[in-house]
Amino acid sequence: MKRKLLVLSLLILTMILTAACGTNKNDSSKFEGTWIGFYENNDHPTALEITIQQAGKQVVVSPKIGTYSELTDQYSSGLINVNNKPNSTVYVDYLFAKLTLPVYTGTVSDDTLTVKHKDDTDTFIYNKNNDTLLYEGMTLKKKSNNDSLESYIPEMQKIIKETYLKNHQKEQSIAKFDFFFDDSMVKSEQ
């Protein structure tokens, strides 16, 4: 009887240890895939797309960003002369660009992906409740067929316009503002 209890106890202990060792706290599969998100920074909204792949014990992170760069400053836009030329037009031009950033490697621990590059560390936190990643205040979701960096262009333009006009309320009473958003580089890629 004692021998049967001892064998049964060893069997149960073996099953518990096997089950405990079988769970991998560093499972990177939940991070794998392409993720997309949007950061609504008032003066510089940015779309982010990252592709995460398993590479041995490490994870490879390939980021791309989509953002607008202002092509005109206060001189070339005519903003500097508004006070001297009432009813003038201020031309505010932006160019949309997609930038591919360097590829980085990282490690997974529980629900956190840590990526180190040079003197900086980025952290992506996996939220299993809604299958999203959190990164610097931005929520990234798995990319679907209709998601792209370009899908955020209308929202980015709206934020840029609203912010620019808010920052130049005084000039709005005496000038007209003409915004031009060039996304031809994106259209030529398609």
Side-chain angles (χ1 to χ4, degrees):
M1 182 70 165
K2 284 185 181 182
R3 185 172 191 190
K4 286 184 181 180
L5 283 175
L6 183 61
V7 170
L8 184 60
S9 297
L10 286 173
L11 183 60
I12 291 172
L13 181 61
T14 304
M15 288 174 37
I16 290 172
L17 287 174
T18 304
C21 293
T23 59
N24 185 358
K25 292 173 70 175
N26 299 333
D27 178 23
S28 64
S29 64
K30 58 190 158 209
F31 289 95
E32 289 182 24
T34 300
W35 301 82
I36 191 159
F38 180 64
Y39 182 66
E40 293 185 35
N41 185 358
N42 284 342
D43 60 342
H44 208 83
T46 304
L48 172 67
E49 177 182 298
I50 60 167
T51 302
I52 301 172
Q53 299 170 317
Q54 179 72 36
K57 291 185 178 185
Q58 292 194 323
V59 177
V60 176
V61 179
S62 306
K64 291 180 187 175
I65 61 170
T67 188
Y68 274 102
S69 297
E70 191 171 354
L71 298 176
T72 52
D73 59 14
Q74 63 182 352
Y75 297 99
S76 60
S77 68
L79 183 64
I80 196 77
N81 297 321
V82 166
N83 290 327
N84 298 333
K85 291 182 175 180
N87 299 320
S88 60
T89 301
V90 176
Y91 297 95
V92 188
D93 299 340
Y94 289 88
L95 174 67
F96 184 80
K98 279 181 15 178
L99 308 168
T100 300
L101 302 176
V103 174
Y104 301 105
T105 58
T107 56
V108 173
S109 177
D110 294 325
D111 290 335
T112 304
L113 167 59
T114 304
V115 179
K116 293 185 180 187
H117 44 93
K118 293 190 181 180
D119 297 330
D120 202 13
T121 301
D122 289 332
T123 303
F124 297 87
I125 300 171
Y126 178 74
N127 182 343
K128 58 186 164 210
N129 294 331
N130 57 6
D131 194 32
T132 58
L133 292 181
L134 296 173
Y135 170 68
E136 293 187 3
M138 180 187 328
T139 300
L140 300 160
K141 60 183 179 177
K142 283 270 181 143
K143 185 176 178 180
S144 64
N145 292 340
N146 56 350
D147 286 335
S148 66
L149 294 177
E150 297 82 16
S151 65
Y152 291 102
I153 285 177
E155 184 66 19
M156 294 169 85
Q157 291 176 356
K158 179 181 172 218
I159 290 170
I160 290 170
K161 262 180 144 173
E162 288 173 354
T163 303
Y164 193 91
L165 292 173
K166 181 180 168 190
N167 291 337
H168 298 287
Q169 288 178 346
K170 184 179 96 179
E171 291 88 353
Q172 284 184 61
S173 62
I174 55 175
K176 201 171 57 169
F177 286 81
D178 182 11
F179 288 88
F180 176 71
F181 293 95
D182 183 355
D183 57 1
S184 60
M185 288 176 61
V186 174
K187 290 178 181 171
S188 67
E189 288 178 7
Q190 298 171 348

